[in-house]
Amino acid sequence: MKKEMIKIENLKKSFGDLEVLKEVNLDVHESDVVVLIGASGSGKSTLLRCINFLEIKNGGKIVIEGEEVDPKSHNLNEVRQKVGMVFQHFNLFPHKTVLENVMEAPVMVKNQDKKEAEKEARVLLEKVGLSDKADVYPAKLSGGQKQRVAIARALAMKPDIMLFDEPTSALDPELVGEVLATMKELAQEGMTMVVVTHEMGFAKEVADEVVYMHDGQIWERGTPQELFNNPQEERTKDFLSSIL
Amino acid sequence: MFDIAHILDVLIESYPLFMKGLWITLKLTVVSILIGTGIGLIFALFKISGIKILNWIANIYIALIRGTPLIVQIFIFYFGLAELGISAFWSAAFGLAMHNGAYIAEIFRGSIQSVDRGQMEAGRSLGMTYGLTMRRIILPQAFKRALPPLGNQFIIGLKDSSLASFIALSELFSIATTQGSRTFDEMTYLIIVGLYYLVLVLLFTLLVNMLEKKLSAGE
Ligand SMILES: Nc1ncnc2c1ncn2[C@@H]1O[C@H](COP(=O)(O)OP(=O)(O)OP(=O)(O)O)[C@@H](O)[C@H]1O
Ligand SMILES: [Mg+2]
């Protein structure tokens, strides 16, 4: 049995009167890739953001690597170091070069030696194919390159889990492939990943499990095979036919 | 009406005196803007902190400063601080700093809030604390955006410093008025002091433009 990296029980989240997550249950095991799909507003982003506590839940339980995290008593900054996040709009630091973007957190948060952090940052940039862009500012990069830097930046903290919130939705179609390739490579290396995406090709090829969200709930989940070829719920069928 | 030759004569002749005033004006302006920038940053952080009590303190401060004339503030500081044995220069400096601070607070608040929310989230998602993200990620970007309005505030502060003449500080403007009434040649001295301010403002505008260019290089 693989280690349980994320366990969510009865998770609830509201914004004012709007109940965005209603009793969500989810478990993610080590090295698994879980793809979240669902219509706009179904709560996918909110669920991801609850997992690294950018949003604070209103109820339920979040267990990260076997430890229940209580936002009141836990140091969330430490929890977030274990859970990397990649955003739709990259959110690179525009006043720092690519290399500085990647080095920032290891040096400032982990007090890593600068030389060592730079060496590791360069290895990561090599890995995402951007060694030649180390000294460039983000504004000079294409969207695909920005997103790969963002992935390298998150990996620099050596997280155990990576969350991706529509990492290719803001990209020109011809740039989507390079980012998905980087993510696929990461998955093959055994990274535990939760990915919100509309790229069904990626889901079919890489995901261990696909989770369909509707109206703040997990409506149906299964292997890509099961969910795409043989969905059980009417809603899932409707959603799938609407996006294909 | 304007005898240019005469103005030039007086300009040259009064030059040493005005240099003394200029020095005091510059000191007063730079000191009050620097302290004002510190005050402004603190109150801007109060305003965006989301902590009610800090919010209130900042709002009251800004309302008081913006709702009263600067000359009243300078006199209050002058009489208030004189009792503590603080010099006219420093009470003027503090008064102007408090005044500039309120406006600079609004400048910083605006520029901090103009930085994309995603920047804070990216920092936090990497395990950086709120304070660290503020200092390393948000404020450097906010400061760059604040530079043009800050330069503008500096120019306003420079001209406002002339009000310190009312508390017997021999800065530029008070030299002009004392010399003017001593020689019964007020108009000439007013034109001359106007020229001094004009040149200062132009030089400073140039400096800010250069700094802006330098800061935006690369990105
Ligand atoms: N900070 C917030 N304040 C108020 N409402 C919010 C906030 N964040 C999200 N919501 C609301 O919560 C609901 C779910 O949003 P969420 O972003 O999780 O959906 P999503 O499934 O990621 O959608 P999309 O595919 O459009 O990204 C939406 O109705 C949204 O308007
Ligand atoms: Mg979303």
Side-chain angles (χ1 to χ4, degrees), chain A residues 40-213:
Chain A
S40 179
S42 57
K44 308 178 297 292
S45 296
T46 306
L47 176 57
L48 274 198
R49 295 159 59 82
C50 282
I51 296 175
N52 74 351
F53 300 91
L54 285 179
E55 304 288 357
I56 302 299
K57 64 187 166 71
N58 298 120
K61 236 164 98 167
I62 299 176
V63 183
I64 306 285
E65 298 183 52
E67 194 178 355
E68 185 182 348
V69 180
D70 174 5
K72 286 201 191 74
S73 59
H74 265 79
N75 183 345
L76 296 180
N77 299 312
E78 271 167 24
V79 179
R80 291 196 190 101
Q81 292 177 38
K82 292 192 270 186
V83 187
M85 181 140 182
V86 173
F87 302 87
Q88 181 175 354
H89 296 288
F90 331 123
N91 299 348
L92 292 180
F93 306 136
H95 59 306
K96 294 183 180 293
T97 64
V98 165
L99 187 67
E100 288 166 350
N101 263 274
V102 180
M103 286 169 60
E104 177 69 15
V107 171
M108 296 309 295
V109 178
K110 289 188 173 168
N111 291 317
Q112 195 180 13
D113 174 68
K114 263 202 175 150
K115 284 235 171 64
E116 198 183 310
E118 179 177 336
K119 218 165 81 189
E120 291 186 15
R122 288 193 189 276
V123 171
L124 283 170
L125 288 176
E126 170 99 57
K127 184 183 159 94
V128 299
L130 291 171
S131 291
D132 54 329
K133 300 290 183 193
D135 299 316
V136 162
Y137 284 93
K140 294 261 162 38
L141 300 177
S142 74
Q145 291 171 332
K146 281 182 193 166
Q147 197 58 296
R148 286 185 282 149
V149 173
I151 292 172
R153 179 178 68 176
L155 291 176
M157 288 303 280
K158 304 191 177 73
D160 301 328
I161 301 164
M162 286 280 283
L163 310 175
F164 295 82
D165 193 357
E166 302 202 32
T168 59
S169 295
L171 300 179
D172 292 335
E174 72 271 21
L175 301 177
V176 168
E178 62 190 62
V179 172
L180 292 181
T182 303
M183 290 167 61
K184 191 175 154 189
E185 198 184 321
L186 203 56
Q188 283 164 349
E189 288 169 10
M191 177 61 78
T192 308
M193 295 164 53
V194 182
V195 184
V196 175
T197 185
H198 299 298
E199 296 293 331
M200 295 305 148
F202 176 84
K204 281 178 189 154
E205 197 184 343
V206 182
D208 296 289
E209 183 172 40
V210 179
V211 172
Y212 170 61
M213 281 188 77

Side-chain angles (χ1 to χ4, degrees), chain B residues 66 68 87 99-100 104 116 122 143 160 168 172 185 188 205 211:
Chain B
R66 294 221 282 201
T68 55
S87 68
H99 182 82
N100 285 319
I104 293 174
D116 183 58
F143 187 74
D160 279 353
L172 269 181
D185 193 7
T188 304
T205 308
L211 196 63

Side-chain angles (χ1 to χ4, degrees), chain B residues 92-164:
Chain B
F94 280 130
L96 286 165
M98 290 294 281
H99 182 82
N100 285 319
Y103 290 90
I104 293 174
E106 287 293 355
I107 290 172
F108 276 139
R109 183 191 56 78
S111 69
I112 291 170
Q113 283 177 337
S114 78
V115 175
D116 183 58
R117 269 185 47 163
Q119 293 289 304
M120 177 57 84
E121 295 189 342
R124 300 309 303 273
S125 78
L126 290 165
M128 296 167 74
T129 60
Y130 177 87
L132 187 63
T133 312
M134 219 6 128
R135 182 163 66 80
R136 299 278 307 175
I137 308 300
I138 311 294
L139 289 182
Q141 296 180 58
F143 187 74
K144 204 175 290 178
R145 289 175 203 199
L147 208 58
L150 272 181
N152 197 39
Q153 186 59 38
F154 190 98
I155 288 170
I156 295 172
L158 172 69
K159 293 187 288 183
D160 279 353
S161 71
S162 59
L163 288 175

Side-chain angles (χ1 to χ4, degrees), chain A residues 1-5 28-33 208:
Chain A
M1 187 68 190
K2 284 191 290 185
K3 184 176 164 193
E4 204 167 46
M5 300 298 280
V28 181
H29 292 86
E30 189 164 25
S31 299
D32 276 1
V33 176
D208 296 289

